[in-house]
Structure formats: structure tokens, C-alpha cells
Amino acid sequence: MSKFLALFEGDTFQSPPLWFMRQAGRSLPEYREVRKKCTTFLDLCYSPELAAKVTLQPIDRFGFDAAILFSDILVIPDALGQHVSFEDGKGPRLSPLSLSSFQRTLSFSHFFEKLAPVYETIRLVKAKTSPLIGFSGSPWTLALYMLEGEGTRDFGKAKQVAFSEEATFSTFLTFLTEAISLHLIEQVRAGADAIQLFDSWAGHCPAAYVQKWILEPTKAIVTALRKEFPTLPLIGFPKGIGANILSYGRDVGVSAVSLDAGVPLGWASENLPKSLILQGNLDPLVLVAGGEPLKRGIESIHQGMKGRPYIFNLGHGVLPQTPLTHLEECVKLVRALA
Ligand code: CP3
């Protein structure tokens, strides 16, 4: 069994399993070659042969301990009928969505038909490698993109409507919870060995709303998945959630939490359940810098995680400008940890 999956079964290792968020894509020249074959980014996400090829590229090049499905968190709004596009260098653009009329705009009528190529990608990857991590965005992070229409500095438009129409916003989160659970269940049925839930903008949720807007919807997804797959490895990544990482780690039922670079490891390690696997949390810019800062960063994570099961990863995704030699160096240094 792979080191990555063995960790979830209770095995411990001197040198931790490693993979990187956003390891497939942007930073790899072989990805950019494949990307040219498709007009749009979403076309690539919905082309099983090409998406499978891109999923495998970082495994072939670096020998990471897990592959992550090549797809995007925004395939869910797309499959629900909100138009999604990616303009080069500008990030995602979504067609306007009014919270008060979301039930008239969005529907499940083409959901599985639209997402079928994603499940086919999983089957193709699994014929070649294991383990494979499937994923989705969380209800909160997806809701922000869907109501804002793009990624902005503070998601001000989306948050304002959430506060003003709180009851409808809760109904919207419940609707997304259902969509996400269905998408994740299908990913596992297709062969995904583990799931990561990306709550990339958890840091934009005010503490007073974390219970309602983050913890409860996340717990509902975990419960839906565990009902069907009781031992499924589940990683939650509530980026920027601050001290609420403790309630997230204790209460929602995930097997692992991924920590952003701002979380002090000693504190997290002391206060989170001993059985909970931790993942993270090297600053992606330390990997860009390389050299001594990289060596010190790795060593300090290893010390901070001492005595508990952990997965080496970044505090957020690999940046496009990351030198490939630094990724290689990082793998070498992590493999040499004792
Ligand atoms: O390697 C992997 O992690 C697998 C593939 C993956 C992508 N997106 C491919 C992608 C994963 C896991 C994601 C998740 C994702 N998508 C998140 C959560 C993780 C995070 O970084 O916080 C978010 C917020 C998105 C939404 C999204 N997709 C944005 C904001 C952008 C544009 C900016 C950017 O990051 O490049 C994307 C596009 C995107 N998703 C690209 C890739 C490879 C770049 C498209 C291209 O340039 O070809």
C-alpha cells in the first residue's frame, strides 16, 4: 500500500508522504504543451484523456506520493447551469447569479451528464496510478465565487448579499452541500482513493458565522460521504480560518486538516486530537525562494509535526513561477528526513 494511504490506516513514517496542492498545471512546461490543445481551460477539464495525462505529469516527473485529479472547483457551478469561463491571466468569470432567484437559475438537470468526463478522467488515471485524490470546493468558497462572479480582494458583493439575505443564503449553502456531496460520491465510486475539500476563502468568513456557514455544511458533506464510504480518507483545507481550525479539526469529522502557512504548528499539534492527520504548511513562496529558506522551512515543519502523523505539503498551491529544481530539491530533502 502507498505511504499516503497507509498513514490514514494508522501507520507512521520517519519521512512523511508528500504531495503539493496545485501540483498539476501552471508550473509545468509539459502541462502548458497539453493546455495548447484545448481552446478553453474548461475544455481541458472535460477532456478525460488529456486531463488524465496532466494529472499524471507531476507524478512522473517528481514521484510525489499522491496524484490529484486535474479539474477545478468551478465545474460545480458550471454543471449547475451558471456559465463559467477562464480568461488567460485574469482568473474565473461567472455569469451573474441573483441569490434570491438561485432556485430558478440553477438545476441538477444536466449535472451528471456535464460532470461525466470528470469521472471518466478518474477511471483513466486509476488504470495507471494510485493513490488519487479527488476534490471539490466547499459550499462557502463556491458560494463566494458564484455570487461575486469572479475572484476579488474581499468578495464584498457576495458577503454583503449573504448578510442581507441570511435565510436564503443558508438555503443556498444547503443546495451546494447537496451538489458537492453528489459530485464527491461519484468521484469515489469512479475510483478516487481520498478526497480533499478546498475551503480556500474560509478566511473571509467572520468568526461569528463560522459555525453556520463553514462547520455545519462541511460536517453534512463528511456525513454524506462517510455513510457510503465509512473509512474514506478525507482532508479539509479551511484556509485562513485562524483559531477556528480547532473546532474544524475536532468537530466536522475529517481525517486530516490541511494547514495554511499562518498556523503555528506547535499550537495546532498540541490542541488538535492526536489521531487527526495534519497536512502542510510550507509557504509557497519559500519554495519559490529555495536554498537555505527552503531547508529551514522543511526542518521546522518536521520539528513542529513531531510525534504525530503528517503529510508534507504547502500552505497553499504551487505558484506558477516556482523553479522546477526547487520542487526536486524539496522532494529530496523531505525524503531524507529522519
Ligand atoms: O494540481 C491540482 O491541484 C489539480 C488541479 C486543480 C486546479 N484547480 C487546476 C487549475 C485544483 C485542485 C484546483 C482547485 C481550485 N480552483 C481552487 C482551490 C485551491 C486554491 O488554489 O485555493 C480554486 C480557488 C480554484 C479556482 C480557480 N481556478 C482560479 C482562481 C483559477 C485562476 C487562477 C489560477 O490559479 O491559475 C483557476 C484556474 C486553474 N485551475 C488553472 C489550473 C491548472 C490555471 C488554468 C491555466 O492557466 O491553464
Side-chain angles (χ1 to χ4, degrees), residues 19-27 31-32 35 41 44-45 54-55 58 68-74 86-92 135-137 141 145 151 196 198-201 237 239 316-317 320:
W19 69 282
F20 292 116
M21 292 187 258
R22 310 296 292 272
Q23 66 192 18
R26 308 182 295 180
S27 55
Y31 163 75
R32 291 195 286 269
R35 174 69 187 81
F41 169 68
L44 176 53
C45 291
V54 173
T55 303
I68 179 157
L69 169 70
F70 187 81
S71 179
D72 199 84
I73 63 166
L74 299 178
F86 289 83
E87 288 167 39
D88 277 347
K90 288 210 190 125
F135 71 91
S136 168
T141 288
Y145 275 114
Q196 175 153 319
F198 285 93
D199 210 342
S200 305
W201 305 123
F237 177 42
K239 181 173 173 281
H316 199 188

Short mmCIF file of all heavy atoms in Angstrom, two decimals, residues 19-27 31-32 35 41 44-45 54-55 58 68-74 86-92 135-137 141 145 151 196 198-201 237 239 316-317 320, ligand 1:
data_model
loop_
_atom_site.label_atom_id
_atom_site.label_comp_id
_atom_site.label_asym_id
_atom_site.label_seq_id
_atom_site.Cartn_x
_atom_site.Cartn_y
_atom_site.Cartn_z
N TRP A 19 2.77 15.51 -1.22
CA TRP A 19 2.21 15.95 -2.50
C TRP A 19 2.02 17.44 -2.36
O TRP A 19 2.18 17.99 -1.26
CB TRP A 19 0.89 15.21 -2.82
CG TRP A 19 -0.30 15.56 -1.96
CD1 TRP A 19 -0.54 15.11 -0.68
CD2 TRP A 19 -1.38 16.45 -2.28
NE1 TRP A 19 -1.71 15.64 -0.20
CE2 TRP A 19 -2.25 16.46 -1.16
CE3 TRP A 19 -1.73 17.22 -3.39
CZ2 TRP A 19 -3.43 17.23 -1.12
CZ3 TRP A 19 -2.90 17.96 -3.36
CH2 TRP A 19 -3.72 17.96 -2.24
N PHE A 20 1.72 18.11 -3.45
CA PHE A 20 1.55 19.56 -3.38
C PHE A 20 0.21 20.00 -3.96
O PHE A 20 -0.19 19.51 -5.02
CB PHE A 20 2.66 20.27 -4.16
CG PHE A 20 4.02 20.12 -3.54
CD1 PHE A 20 5.03 19.44 -4.20
CD2 PHE A 20 4.28 20.63 -2.28
CE1 PHE A 20 6.29 19.29 -3.63
CE2 PHE A 20 5.52 20.49 -1.70
CZ PHE A 20 6.54 19.81 -2.37
N MET A 21 -0.46 20.89 -3.26
CA MET A 21 -1.67 21.45 -3.82
C MET A 21 -1.30 22.20 -5.10
O MET A 21 -0.28 22.88 -5.13
CB MET A 21 -2.32 22.41 -2.82
CG MET A 21 -2.86 21.68 -1.60
SD MET A 21 -3.79 22.79 -0.55
CE MET A 21 -2.59 23.10 0.73
N ARG A 22 -2.12 22.06 -6.12
CA ARG A 22 -1.90 22.64 -7.44
C ARG A 22 -0.59 22.15 -8.07
O ARG A 22 0.08 22.88 -8.77
CB ARG A 22 -1.91 24.19 -7.38
CG ARG A 22 -3.10 24.79 -6.64
CD ARG A 22 -4.43 24.51 -7.31
NE ARG A 22 -4.60 25.17 -8.58
CZ ARG A 22 -5.08 26.40 -8.75
NH1 ARG A 22 -5.47 27.10 -7.71
NH2 ARG A 22 -5.21 26.92 -9.93
N GLN A 23 -0.28 20.86 -7.82
CA GLN A 23 0.94 20.28 -8.39
C GLN A 23 0.81 20.05 -9.90
O GLN A 23 1.80 20.03 -10.62
CB GLN A 23 1.29 18.96 -7.69
CG GLN A 23 0.28 17.83 -7.91
CD GLN A 23 0.52 16.64 -6.98
OE1 GLN A 23 1.19 16.78 -5.96
NE2 GLN A 23 -0.01 15.48 -7.32
N ALA A 24 -0.44 19.81 -10.36
CA ALA A 24 -0.67 19.58 -11.79
C ALA A 24 -1.03 20.93 -12.40
O ALA A 24 -1.87 21.63 -11.88
CB ALA A 24 -1.82 18.60 -11.97
N GLY A 25 -0.37 21.27 -13.50
CA GLY A 25 -0.75 22.52 -14.16
C GLY A 25 0.33 23.58 -14.15
O GLY A 25 1.53 23.25 -14.09
N ARG A 26 -0.17 24.77 -14.16
CA ARG A 26 0.57 26.03 -14.29
C ARG A 26 2.10 26.02 -14.27
O ARG A 26 2.72 26.61 -15.14
CB ARG A 26 0.09 27.00 -13.19
CG ARG A 26 -1.40 27.16 -13.16
CD ARG A 26 -1.80 28.15 -12.12
NE ARG A 26 -1.49 27.70 -10.75
CZ ARG A 26 -1.75 28.42 -9.68
NH1 ARG A 26 -2.27 29.63 -9.79
NH2 ARG A 26 -1.49 27.96 -8.49
N SER A 27 2.73 25.34 -13.28
CA SER A 27 4.18 25.44 -13.17
C SER A 27 4.93 24.49 -14.11
O SER A 27 6.15 24.59 -14.22
CB SER A 27 4.61 25.18 -11.72
OG SER A 27 4.09 23.94 -11.31
N TYR A 31 2.63 20.61 -18.98
CA TYR A 31 1.22 20.98 -18.86
C TYR A 31 0.88 22.03 -19.92
O TYR A 31 -0.12 21.92 -20.62
CB TYR A 31 0.91 21.54 -17.47
CG TYR A 31 -0.42 22.31 -17.44
CD1 TYR A 31 -1.63 21.62 -17.46
CD2 TYR A 31 -0.46 23.71 -17.42
CE1 TYR A 31 -2.85 22.30 -17.47
CE2 TYR A 31 -1.66 24.40 -17.43
CZ TYR A 31 -2.85 23.68 -17.45
OH TYR A 31 -4.06 24.36 -17.47
N ARG A 32 1.74 23.03 -20.05
CA ARG A 32 1.44 24.12 -21.00
C ARG A 32 1.35 23.59 -22.43
O ARG A 32 0.56 24.08 -23.22
CB ARG A 32 2.45 25.25 -20.84
CG ARG A 32 2.26 25.97 -19.49
CD ARG A 32 2.97 27.30 -19.40
NE ARG A 32 4.41 27.14 -19.25
CZ ARG A 32 5.03 27.07 -18.07
NH1 ARG A 32 4.34 27.17 -16.95
NH2 ARG A 32 6.33 26.90 -18.03
N ARG A 35 -2.07 22.04 -22.59
CA ARG A 35 -3.08 23.12 -22.49
C ARG A 35 -3.38 23.74 -23.86
O ARG A 35 -4.52 24.10 -24.16
CB ARG A 35 -2.57 24.17 -21.48
CG ARG A 35 -3.40 25.43 -21.32
CD ARG A 35 -4.73 25.16 -20.67
NE ARG A 35 -5.57 26.36 -20.69
CZ ARG A 35 -6.29 26.76 -21.73
NH1 ARG A 35 -6.28 26.05 -22.84
NH2 ARG A 35 -7.01 27.87 -21.66
N PHE A 41 -9.84 26.46 -20.82
CA PHE A 41 -9.40 25.67 -19.67
C PHE A 41 -10.44 24.61 -19.30
O PHE A 41 -10.11 23.47 -19.00
CB PHE A 41 -9.11 26.60 -18.49
CG PHE A 41 -8.90 25.90 -17.19
CD1 PHE A 41 -7.78 25.11 -16.98
CD2 PHE A 41 -9.83 26.01 -16.17
CE1 PHE A 41 -7.59 24.44 -15.79
CE2 PHE A 41 -9.65 25.34 -14.97
CZ PHE A 41 -8.53 24.56 -14.77
N LEU A 44 -10.32 21.51 -21.32
CA LEU A 44 -9.29 20.58 -20.83
C LEU A 44 -9.82 19.77 -19.64
O LEU A 44 -9.64 18.56 -19.57
CB LEU A 44 -8.01 21.36 -20.47
CG LEU A 44 -6.85 20.58 -19.86
CD1 LEU A 44 -6.45 19.38 -20.71
CD2 LEU A 44 -5.63 21.49 -19.67
N CYS A 45 -10.52 20.45 -18.73
CA CYS A 45 -11.09 19.74 -17.57
C CYS A 45 -12.07 18.66 -18.00
O CYS A 45 -12.22 17.65 -17.33
CB CYS A 45 -11.81 20.72 -16.64
SG CYS A 45 -10.72 21.86 -15.79
N VAL A 54 -2.44 15.09 -17.74
CA VAL A 54 -1.95 16.20 -16.91
C VAL A 54 -1.91 15.79 -15.43
O VAL A 54 -1.00 16.19 -14.69
CB VAL A 54 -2.85 17.44 -17.13
CG1 VAL A 54 -2.49 18.54 -16.17
CG2 VAL A 54 -2.73 17.94 -18.57
N THR A 55 -2.88 14.99 -15.00
CA THR A 55 -2.88 14.52 -13.61
C THR A 55 -1.61 13.73 -13.30
O THR A 55 -1.04 13.82 -12.21
CB THR A 55 -4.11 13.59 -13.36
OG1 THR A 55 -5.30 14.31 -13.70
CG2 THR A 55 -4.18 13.12 -11.94
N PRO A 58 2.93 15.41 -12.86
CA PRO A 58 3.80 15.66 -11.70
C PRO A 58 4.26 14.38 -11.00
O PRO A 58 5.30 14.37 -10.35
CB PRO A 58 2.91 16.50 -10.76
CG PRO A 58 1.51 16.28 -11.23
CD PRO A 58 1.57 15.95 -12.68
N ILE A 68 -3.33 14.30 -7.72
CA ILE A 68 -4.62 14.97 -7.52
C ILE A 68 -5.27 15.16 -8.88
O ILE A 68 -4.62 15.57 -9.84
CB ILE A 68 -4.51 16.30 -6.72
CG1 ILE A 68 -5.90 16.94 -6.58
CG2 ILE A 68 -3.52 17.26 -7.33
CD1 ILE A 68 -6.05 17.90 -5.42
N LEU A 69 -6.53 14.80 -8.91
CA LEU A 69 -7.33 14.91 -10.13
C LEU A 69 -7.16 16.27 -10.79
O LEU A 69 -7.25 17.30 -10.11
CB LEU A 69 -8.80 14.72 -9.74
CG LEU A 69 -9.85 15.03 -10.79
CD1 LEU A 69 -9.81 14.00 -11.90
CD2 LEU A 69 -11.24 15.07 -10.15
N PHE A 70 -6.94 16.30 -12.11
CA PHE A 70 -6.91 17.58 -12.80
C PHE A 70 -8.34 17.97 -13.15
O PHE A 70 -9.00 17.33 -13.97
CB PHE A 70 -6.06 17.54 -14.06
CG PHE A 70 -5.93 18.92 -14.64
CD1 PHE A 70 -5.00 19.81 -14.13
CD2 PHE A 70 -6.80 19.36 -15.62
CE1 PHE A 70 -4.92 21.12 -14.60
CE2 PHE A 70 -6.72 20.67 -16.10
CZ PHE A 70 -5.78 21.54 -15.59
N SER A 71 -8.82 19.01 -12.49
CA SER A 71 -10.18 19.51 -12.68
C SER A 71 -10.20 20.90 -12.06
O SER A 71 -9.14 21.54 -11.96
CB SER A 71 -11.17 18.57 -11.99
OG SER A 71 -12.48 19.03 -12.14
N ASP A 72 -11.35 21.39 -11.66
CA ASP A 72 -11.39 22.67 -10.96
C ASP A 72 -12.58 22.69 -10.02
O ASP A 72 -13.56 21.97 -10.23
CB ASP A 72 -11.50 23.84 -11.94
CG ASP A 72 -11.07 25.14 -11.27
OD1 ASP A 72 -9.86 25.43 -11.22
OD2 ASP A 72 -11.95 25.86 -10.75
N ILE A 73 -12.50 23.54 -8.99
CA ILE A 73 -13.64 23.63 -8.07
C ILE A 73 -14.85 24.25 -8.79
O ILE A 73 -15.98 24.05 -8.37
CB ILE A 73 -13.31 24.41 -6.77
CG1 ILE A 73 -12.94 25.86 -7.06
CG2 ILE A 73 -12.18 23.76 -6.01
CD1 ILE A 73 -12.95 26.76 -5.81
N LEU A 74 -14.63 24.99 -9.86
CA LEU A 74 -15.74 25.70 -10.52
C LEU A 74 -16.49 24.85 -11.55
O LEU A 74 -17.39 25.36 -12.24
CB LEU A 74 -15.24 27.02 -11.12
CG LEU A 74 -14.67 27.98 -10.05
CD1 LEU A 74 -14.14 29.25 -10.68
CD2 LEU A 74 -15.71 28.31 -8.98
N PHE A 86 -12.73 31.06 -18.09
CA PHE A 86 -11.42 31.46 -17.53
C PHE A 86 -10.70 32.27 -18.58
O PHE A 86 -10.40 31.76 -19.65
CB PHE A 86 -10.59 30.22 -17.18
CG PHE A 86 -11.10 29.47 -15.99
CD1 PHE A 86 -12.13 28.55 -16.13
CD2 PHE A 86 -10.55 29.67 -14.73
CE1 PHE A 86 -12.61 27.86 -15.04
CE2 PHE A 86 -11.02 28.97 -13.63
CZ PHE A 86 -12.06 28.06 -13.78
N GLU A 87 -10.47 33.54 -18.27
CA GLU A 87 -9.71 34.36 -19.22
C GLU A 87 -8.25 34.27 -18.82
O GLU A 87 -7.92 34.37 -17.64
CB GLU A 87 -10.17 35.81 -19.16
CG GLU A 87 -11.53 36.02 -19.77
CD GLU A 87 -12.10 37.39 -19.43
OE1 GLU A 87 -11.34 38.37 -19.41
OE2 GLU A 87 -13.31 37.45 -19.17
N ASP A 88 -7.38 34.10 -19.84
CA ASP A 88 -5.95 33.93 -19.56
C ASP A 88 -5.41 35.03 -18.66
O ASP A 88 -5.56 36.21 -18.95
CB ASP A 88 -5.16 33.88 -20.87
CG ASP A 88 -5.19 32.46 -21.44
OD1 ASP A 88 -5.59 31.54 -20.71
OD2 ASP A 88 -4.84 32.30 -22.64
N GLY A 89 -4.81 34.62 -17.58
CA GLY A 89 -4.18 35.57 -16.66
C GLY A 89 -5.15 36.36 -15.81
O GLY A 89 -4.74 37.17 -14.98
N LYS A 90 -6.44 36.19 -16.00
CA LYS A 90 -7.40 37.00 -15.24
C LYS A 90 -8.23 36.20 -14.25
O LYS A 90 -8.99 36.77 -13.47
CB LYS A 90 -8.35 37.72 -16.21
CG LYS A 90 -7.70 38.85 -16.98
CD LYS A 90 -8.72 39.93 -17.31
CE LYS A 90 -8.16 40.95 -18.28
NZ LYS A 90 -9.01 41.07 -19.47
N GLY A 91 -8.13 34.88 -14.32
CA GLY A 91 -8.93 34.09 -13.39
C GLY A 91 -10.35 33.88 -13.88
O GLY A 91 -10.70 34.25 -14.99
N PRO A 92 -11.16 33.25 -13.02
CA PRO A 92 -12.51 32.85 -13.45
C PRO A 92 -13.51 34.00 -13.57
O PRO A 92 -13.41 34.99 -12.84
CB PRO A 92 -12.94 31.90 -12.33
CG PRO A 92 -12.07 32.20 -11.17
CD PRO A 92 -10.83 32.83 -11.66
N PHE A 135 -11.47 15.91 -5.43
CA PHE A 135 -11.69 17.12 -4.63
C PHE A 135 -12.93 17.89 -5.05
O PHE A 135 -13.52 17.64 -6.09
CB PHE A 135 -10.47 18.05 -4.72
CG PHE A 135 -10.31 18.73 -6.07
CD1 PHE A 135 -10.89 19.97 -6.32
CD2 PHE A 135 -9.59 18.12 -7.08
CE1 PHE A 135 -10.75 20.59 -7.57
CE2 PHE A 135 -9.45 18.73 -8.32
CZ PHE A 135 -10.02 19.97 -8.57
N SER A 136 -13.25 18.85 -4.20
CA SER A 136 -14.30 19.83 -4.51
C SER A 136 -13.98 21.08 -3.71
O SER A 136 -13.21 21.05 -2.76
CB SER A 136 -15.66 19.29 -4.08
OG SER A 136 -16.61 20.33 -4.12
N GLY A 137 -14.61 22.18 -4.10
CA GLY A 137 -14.61 23.37 -3.25
C GLY A 137 -15.65 23.15 -2.17
O GLY A 137 -16.54 22.30 -2.31
N THR A 141 -16.84 28.56 -0.06
CA THR A 141 -15.94 29.08 -1.11
C THR A 141 -16.65 29.11 -2.47
O THR A 141 -16.53 30.08 -3.22
CB THR A 141 -14.63 28.25 -1.14
OG1 THR A 141 -13.87 28.60 0.02
CG2 THR A 141 -13.79 28.53 -2.38
N TYR A 145 -17.63 32.58 -4.92
CA TYR A 145 -17.35 32.75 -6.36
C TYR A 145 -18.65 32.93 -7.14
O TYR A 145 -18.74 33.76 -8.04
CB TYR A 145 -16.61 31.53 -6.92
CG TYR A 145 -15.12 31.60 -6.74
CD1 TYR A 145 -14.45 30.72 -5.91
CD2 TYR A 145 -14.36 32.56 -7.42
CE1 TYR A 145 -13.07 30.78 -5.73
CE2 TYR A 145 -12.98 32.62 -7.26
CZ TYR A 145 -12.34 31.74 -6.41
OH TYR A 145 -10.99 31.81 -6.24
N GLY A 151 -13.07 36.18 -8.76
CA GLY A 151 -12.30 36.27 -7.52
C GLY A 151 -11.96 37.74 -7.27
O GLY A 151 -11.42 38.38 -8.17
N GLN A 196 -10.12 15.75 -0.98
CA GLN A 196 -9.79 16.99 -0.27
C GLN A 196 -10.87 18.03 -0.56
O GLN A 196 -11.26 18.24 -1.71
CB GLN A 196 -8.42 17.54 -0.67
CG GLN A 196 -8.15 18.90 0.00
CD GLN A 196 -6.70 19.24 0.23
OE1 GLN A 196 -5.91 18.38 0.62
NE2 GLN A 196 -6.34 20.49 0.01
N PHE A 198 -11.55 21.85 -0.58
CA PHE A 198 -10.85 23.13 -0.57
C PHE A 198 -11.78 24.24 -0.10
O PHE A 198 -12.73 24.59 -0.79
CB PHE A 198 -10.39 23.50 -1.99
CG PHE A 198 -9.19 22.72 -2.48
CD1 PHE A 198 -9.34 21.55 -3.20
CD2 PHE A 198 -7.90 23.18 -2.23
CE1 PHE A 198 -8.22 20.85 -3.67
CE2 PHE A 198 -6.78 22.48 -2.69
CZ PHE A 198 -6.95 21.32 -3.42
N ASP A 199 -11.51 24.78 1.10
CA ASP A 199 -12.24 25.97 1.53
C ASP A 199 -11.26 27.14 1.49
O ASP A 199 -10.84 27.68 2.51
CB ASP A 199 -12.84 25.78 2.93
CG ASP A 199 -14.12 26.59 3.09
OD1 ASP A 199 -14.33 27.52 2.29
OD2 ASP A 199 -14.91 26.28 4.00
N SER A 200 -10.90 27.50 0.25
CA SER A 200 -9.81 28.45 0.04
C SER A 200 -10.08 29.82 0.66
O SER A 200 -9.15 30.54 0.99
CB SER A 200 -9.58 28.63 -1.46
OG SER A 200 -9.34 27.38 -2.05
N TRP A 201 -11.37 30.19 0.79
CA TRP A 201 -11.68 31.52 1.32
C TRP A 201 -12.35 31.46 2.68
O TRP A 201 -13.09 32.37 3.06
CB TRP A 201 -12.49 32.32 0.29
CG TRP A 201 -11.78 32.37 -1.03
CD1 TRP A 201 -12.25 31.96 -2.23
CD2 TRP A 201 -10.43 32.83 -1.28
NE1 TRP A 201 -11.30 32.12 -3.22
CE2 TRP A 201 -10.18 32.65 -2.66
CE3 TRP A 201 -9.42 33.35 -0.47
CZ2 TRP A 201 -8.95 32.98 -3.23
CZ3 TRP A 201 -8.19 33.68 -1.05
CH2 TRP A 201 -7.97 33.49 -2.41
N PHE A 237 -9.44 21.63 4.06
CA PHE A 237 -8.48 22.73 3.98
C PHE A 237 -9.20 24.08 4.12
O PHE A 237 -9.54 24.72 3.15
CB PHE A 237 -7.73 22.67 2.64
CG PHE A 237 -6.75 23.80 2.41
CD1 PHE A 237 -5.92 24.26 3.43
CD2 PHE A 237 -6.64 24.41 1.17
CE1 PHE A 237 -5.01 25.30 3.22
CE2 PHE A 237 -5.74 25.44 0.93
CZ PHE A 237 -4.92 25.90 1.97
N LYS A 239 -8.64 27.35 4.55
CA LYS A 239 -7.52 28.30 4.52
C LYS A 239 -7.88 29.62 5.21
O LYS A 239 -8.89 30.23 4.90
CB LYS A 239 -7.12 28.57 3.08
CG LYS A 239 -5.96 29.52 2.97
CD LYS A 239 -5.46 29.66 1.56
CE LYS A 239 -4.43 30.75 1.50
NZ LYS A 239 -5.03 32.08 1.48
N HIS A 316 -0.52 26.60 0.66
CA HIS A 316 -1.49 26.89 -0.40
C HIS A 316 -0.89 26.29 -1.67
O HIS A 316 0.05 25.51 -1.59
CB HIS A 316 -1.75 28.39 -0.51
CG HIS A 316 -3.03 28.74 -1.23
ND1 HIS A 316 -3.36 30.03 -1.57
CD2 HIS A 316 -4.05 27.96 -1.68
CE1 HIS A 316 -4.55 30.03 -2.19
NE2 HIS A 316 -4.98 28.79 -2.27
N GLY A 317 -1.43 26.65 -2.86
CA GLY A 317 -0.99 25.97 -4.07
C GLY A 317 0.39 26.37 -4.58
O GLY A 317 0.87 27.47 -4.29
N PRO A 320 2.93 29.55 -10.07
CA PRO A 320 3.39 29.28 -11.44
C PRO A 320 4.88 29.54 -11.64
O PRO A 320 5.52 28.88 -12.45
CB PRO A 320 2.58 30.25 -12.30
CG PRO A 320 1.47 30.75 -11.46
CD PRO A 320 1.83 30.52 -10.03
O1 CP3 B 1 -2.90 20.27 -9.30
C1 CP3 B 1 -4.01 20.40 -8.80
O2 CP3 B 1 -4.16 20.85 -7.67
C2 CP3 B 1 -5.22 19.87 -9.55
C3 CP3 B 1 -5.97 20.79 -10.30
C4 CP3 B 1 -6.66 22.00 -9.67
C5 CP3 B 1 -6.90 23.17 -10.40
N1 CP3 B 1 -7.65 23.99 -9.65
C6 CP3 B 1 -6.45 23.40 -11.79
C7 CP3 B 1 -6.37 24.78 -12.31
C8 CP3 B 1 -7.22 22.17 -8.39
C9 CP3 B 1 -7.21 21.24 -7.19
C10 CP3 B 1 -7.86 23.44 -8.40
C11 CP3 B 1 -8.63 23.96 -7.25
C12 CP3 B 1 -9.06 25.37 -7.27
N2 CP3 B 1 -9.54 26.09 -8.33
C13 CP3 B 1 -9.14 26.19 -6.12
C14 CP3 B 1 -8.80 25.73 -4.71
C15 CP3 B 1 -7.35 25.71 -4.46
C16 CP3 B 1 -6.75 27.08 -4.27
O3 CP3 B 1 -5.80 27.38 -5.03
O4 CP3 B 1 -7.17 27.78 -3.37
C17 CP3 B 1 -9.61 27.45 -6.51
C18 CP3 B 1 -9.83 28.64 -5.63
C19 CP3 B 1 -9.88 27.38 -7.92
C20 CP3 B 1 -10.47 28.43 -8.80
C21 CP3 B 1 -9.53 28.83 -9.87
N3 CP3 B 1 -9.19 28.02 -10.95
C22 CP3 B 1 -8.85 30.07 -10.04
C23 CP3 B 1 -8.93 31.22 -9.06
C24 CP3 B 1 -8.11 29.99 -11.23
C25 CP3 B 1 -7.31 31.05 -11.91
C26 CP3 B 1 -6.04 31.39 -11.27
C27 CP3 B 1 -5.08 30.23 -11.18
O5 CP3 B 1 -4.97 29.71 -10.07
O6 CP3 B 1 -4.46 29.85 -12.17
C28 CP3 B 1 -8.29 28.69 -11.75
C29 CP3 B 1 -7.68 28.15 -12.99
C30 CP3 B 1 -6.90 26.89 -12.87
N4 CP3 B 1 -7.29 25.79 -12.16
C31 CP3 B 1 -5.69 26.60 -13.53
C32 CP3 B 1 -5.36 25.28 -13.20
C33 CP3 B 1 -4.18 24.49 -13.69
C34 CP3 B 1 -4.95 27.53 -14.46
C35 CP3 B 1 -5.53 27.46 -15.82
C36 CP3 B 1 -4.45 27.67 -16.88
O7 CP3 B 1 -3.73 28.67 -16.76
O8 CP3 B 1 -4.34 26.82 -17.75
#
